[in-house]
Amino acid sequence: MAELFTSTTMATIIASLILLLVPTSYSSPLITYGSRDSPIPQSDIDLLEFPLNLEYLEAEFFLYGSMGQGLDSLAPNLTMGGPRPLGAKKANLDPYTRDIIKQFAWQEVGHLRAIKNTVQGFPRPLLDLSTKSFAKTMDAAFGKRLSPPFDPYASSLHYLIASYVIPYVGLTGYVGASPKLQAAASKRLVAGLLAVESGQDAVIRGLLYEHALIRLHPYGITVAEFTNRISDLRNKLGQEGVRDEGLVVPEKLGAEGRVRGNVLAGDEYSVGYARTPEEILRIVYSSGNESTPGGFYPKGADGRIAKAYLQHS
């Protein structure tokens, strides 16, 4: 596998190629995500508001991880008075990784603004970004308690593994929502959001792939195994078969059945996987049940879609 790993520039190249796939009209400076006067059907509004739950989570995790401050300090108007996240803090990152995560953080702030300029949105839900929350996720992934408990803020590699947990879930949601949207403004917004979320995931996977065979201290477990276990857990919680793949897979599952390296996850045609809001809730609640809050959302997610399930819990 050693010959597969090049340099960190690979991640940047992958992200750049993904962004180049977005039609020029989506990235034009003449486009403003703020036309609430444009007619958007209620079904679109629901599908556009739901990912705010994930965007809030990503924004806070990346802001705190890179700068030690969250939306309450850096963009308080976007919280709409929602409660502060639990346990989020500045991570022990090397300068290169910190720079990348800081870029992600501000991108997520932009995503929040773009969605809220299009639909009304809702206040930030209560988020649990504590070490304990991530440790529980890792314990569930391995089917045992890791000792010491996994700390996402301990090092750059720890943080990147923790980051592997988050953006990919959101981007599969955008893939799933895309064919259900009706209004042109909705489709344009989701296409643009999906492009950047995919780029973020590609960068994270590329950086981790470079260290895929490194054993994370003190567990003696390779980075590749961490990603495989996390992906397996998300597939299990989502309950809809394979929608997730780690960084190193059996050759028959690699692109065209010819490679074991899996720097980008895709189906048998190397096309991105899609998830429904129900699948996403099962995963981020860590409960396998869209009606049972927990995990990163102790009191549940917000928006009409998520609330409909909470009312039946």
Side-chain angles (χ1 to χ4, degrees):
M1 293 294 294
E3 69 273 17
L4 296 176
F5 307 138
T6 55
S7 69
T8 50
T9 57
M10 172 183 63
T12 305
I13 292 171
I14 292 170
S16 299
L17 289 173
I18 288 173
L19 291 174
L20 286 173
L21 294 176
V22 184
T24 304
S25 60
Y26 292 151
S27 57
S28 168
L30 298 177
I31 290 178
T32 301
Y33 299 108
S35 53
R36 283 200 205 170
D37 294 335
S38 301
I40 297 179
Q42 184 62 52
S43 60
D44 278 19
I45 293 174
D46 293 345
L47 289 170
L48 292 176
E49 287 192 331
F50 179 78
L52 277 173
N53 291 293
L54 280 299
E55 299 289 358
Y56 275 126
L57 181 70
E58 294 172 37
E60 294 291 14
F61 185 59
F62 292 145
L63 286 169
Y64 272 100
S66 61
M67 293 179 275
Q69 300 179 83
L71 291 171
D72 290 290
S73 299
L74 301 170
N77 60 308
L78 293 178
T79 70
M80 297 174 66
R84 289 177 177 268
L86 304 173
K89 61 182 180 180
K90 191 173 184 178
N92 182 27
L93 305 178
D94 62 76
Y96 181 76
T97 304
R98 187 177 306 283
D99 178 50
I100 290 173
I101 300 303
K102 187 176 181 180
Q103 292 177 50
F104 287 178
W106 288 114
Q107 289 164 8
E108 295 304 329
V109 171
H111 291 180
L112 289 170
R113 289 194 298 107
I115 295 173
K116 291 186 177 199
N117 284 344
T118 306
V119 295
Q120 183 175 350
F122 49 77
R124 174 186 56 199
L126 180 64
L127 304 170
D128 188 351
L129 294 172
S130 65
T131 298
K132 184 177 181 180
S133 178
F134 280 95
K136 285 183 178 179
T137 297
M138 295 304 174
D139 290 350
F142 283 93
K144 64 179 182 180
R145 286 191 176 186
L146 296 184
S147 181
F150 181 86
D151 181 357
Y153 304 104
S155 72
S156 293
L157 203 50
H158 285 76
Y159 192 84
L160 288 170
I161 291 172
S163 297
Y164 180 90
V165 174
I166 299 175
Y168 181 73
V169 177
L171 79 86
T172 58
Y174 284 131
V175 175
S178 182
K180 300 176 184 177
L181 297 170
Q182 301 178 48
S186 304
K187 295 176 182 178
R188 183 172 66 241
L189 174 59
V190 166
L193 291 168
L194 176 57
V196 176
E197 292 289 334
S198 298
Q200 290 179 356
D201 184 63
V203 170
I204 291 167
R205 291 180 73 101
L207 291 170
L208 288 172
Y209 188 71
E210 188 176 11
H211 301 286
L213 300 184
I214 299 296
R215 295 184 181 276
L216 186 68
H217 181 76
Y219 309 109
I221 301 170
T222 66
V223 169
E225 182 65 11
F226 267 97
T227 65
N228 291 341
R229 293 296 189 111
I230 293 166
S231 289
D232 288 346
L233 175 64
R234 292 191 295 214
N235 285 329
K236 178 182 177 181
L237 292 171
Q239 302 176 28
E240 294 294 339
V242 176
R243 298 284 191 274
D244 222 303
E245 298 170 343
L247 291 176
V248 179
V249 296
E251 189 170 294
K252 65 180 181 180
L253 298 180
E256 294 301 298
R258 294 179 179 271
V259 291
R260 295 189 63 216
N262 199 42
V263 72
L264 295 180
D267 64 14
E268 61 181 311
Y269 304 106
S270 293
V271 174
Y273 290 109
R275 281 192 171 108
T276 64
E278 292 77 13
E279 291 174 72
I280 290 172
L281 290 172
R282 294 170 199 155
I283 293 168
V284 298
Y285 287 172
S286 298
S287 65
N289 187 327
E290 58 269 34
S291 299
T292 306
F296 296 116
Y297 299 85
K299 295 185 178 180
D302 208 336
R304 277 167 51 101
I305 294 175
K307 281 186 172 180
Y309 289 105
L310 291 177
Q311 290 170 1
H312 294 95
S313 61

